[in-house]
Amino acid sequence: AQKITQTQPGMFVQEKEAVTLDCTYDTSDQSYGLFWYKQPSSGEMIFLIYQGSYDEQNATEGRYSLNFQKARKSANLVISASQLGDSAMYFCAMREPYSGAGSYQLTFGKGTKLSVIP
Amino acid sequence: NAGVTQTPKFQVLKTGQSMTLQCAQDMNHNSMYWYRQDPGMGLRLIYYSASEGTTDKGEVPNGYNVSRLNKREFSLRLESAAPSQTSVYFCASNEQGVTEAFFGQGTRLTVV
């Protein structure tokens, strides 16, 4: 069963506007974490933001914020004041509980392609 | 400030050939991982290593072997490449217990 669902294959946003990228997840664990990664056309994976399941406040990192709604099992990424350089694939991922001395498996969604329009 | 380094960046193999993808990290991380990314998909875990000398299977381990040579290096070997293994391969590492995983720049492998 798919554990991470990103329902928006592609999104468009006007430069300087805010955009929300959706992510829902499925887990029966109490301890887990949610990540967002950015993958530009050059291909590298860039860490954006992390939210732990026990964190009470929504995570923020500069223009990125994570809208974490635990009861709804959603972890949407909000990008404020979009820039042309934000055009990329965005992946939501969930960390399984830690195993083996601090290692963990990341389960990724299929991604959302964001295009920022000038 | 290298982080996670993968070699090679690109490779074309013929069906049945073997090759090893190399990964090294200079951040003294205990845990290392190999993922593959297929078109239209997110990354899927192939193998991981929690510490030097240990390895475990991930979601899609068939057709691959790994070696954790030392704390820095974690290699992925394809013994007999198949077209289904055409993919982009990412190596990653993380500090024990810390959340963020750092990724290498990826290896684009084509099997013809």
Side-chain angles (χ1 to χ4, degrees), chain B residues 28-91:
Chain B
N28 203 36
H29 289 167
N30 280 312
S31 299
M32 297 185 73
Y33 311 82
W34 277 105
Y35 288 87
R36 62 177 286 173
Q37 183 180 24
D38 300 308
M41 303 282 288
L43 279 68
R44 291 182 293 169
L45 183 65
I46 305 170
Y47 271 94
Y48 67 101
S49 170
S51 60
E52 184 179 349
T54 68
T55 61
D56 283 290
K57 295 178 180 179
E59 181 185 354
V60 288
N62 291 343
Y64 305 95
N65 287 302
V66 291
S67 295
R68 183 74 181 267
L69 305 169
N70 48 55
K71 192 170 185 179
R72 288 187 65 248
E73 298 172 291
F74 187 38
S75 62
L76 178 72
R77 182 160 178 84
L78 287 70
E79 291 291 351
S80 178
S84 61
Q85 294 177 306
T86 294
S87 190
V88 180
Y89 291 85
F90 287 94
C91 178

Side-chain angles (χ1 to χ4, degrees), chain A residues 4 10 19 31 33 42 50 59 65 71 81 84 90-91 94 96 104 110:
Chain A
I4 295 285
V19 63
S31 175
S42 52
Y50 169 79
S65 60
L84 295 178
Y90 288 81
F91 291 96
M94 181 171 65
E96 304 286 345
Y104 55 79
K110 293 186 176 182

Side-chain angles (χ1 to χ4, degrees), chain A residues 3 25-35 50-54 93-107, chain B residues 31 33 35 45 48 50 56-57 94 96-99:
Chain A
K3 292 187 175 182
Y25 61 91
D26 182 28
T27 183
S28 57
D29 295 308
Q30 297 301 309
S31 175
Y32 54 90
L34 295 150
F35 296 77
Y50 169 79
Q51 178 89 38
S53 58
Y54 294 119
M94 181 171 65
R95 167 181 67 74
E96 304 286 345
Y98 288 113
S99 62
S103 65
Y104 55 79
Q105 299 191 35
L106 282 176
T107 301
Chain B
S31 299
Y33 311 82
Y35 288 87
L45 183 65
Y48 67 101
D56 283 290
K57 295 178 180 179
N94 75 286
Q96 182 175 346
V98 174
T99 56

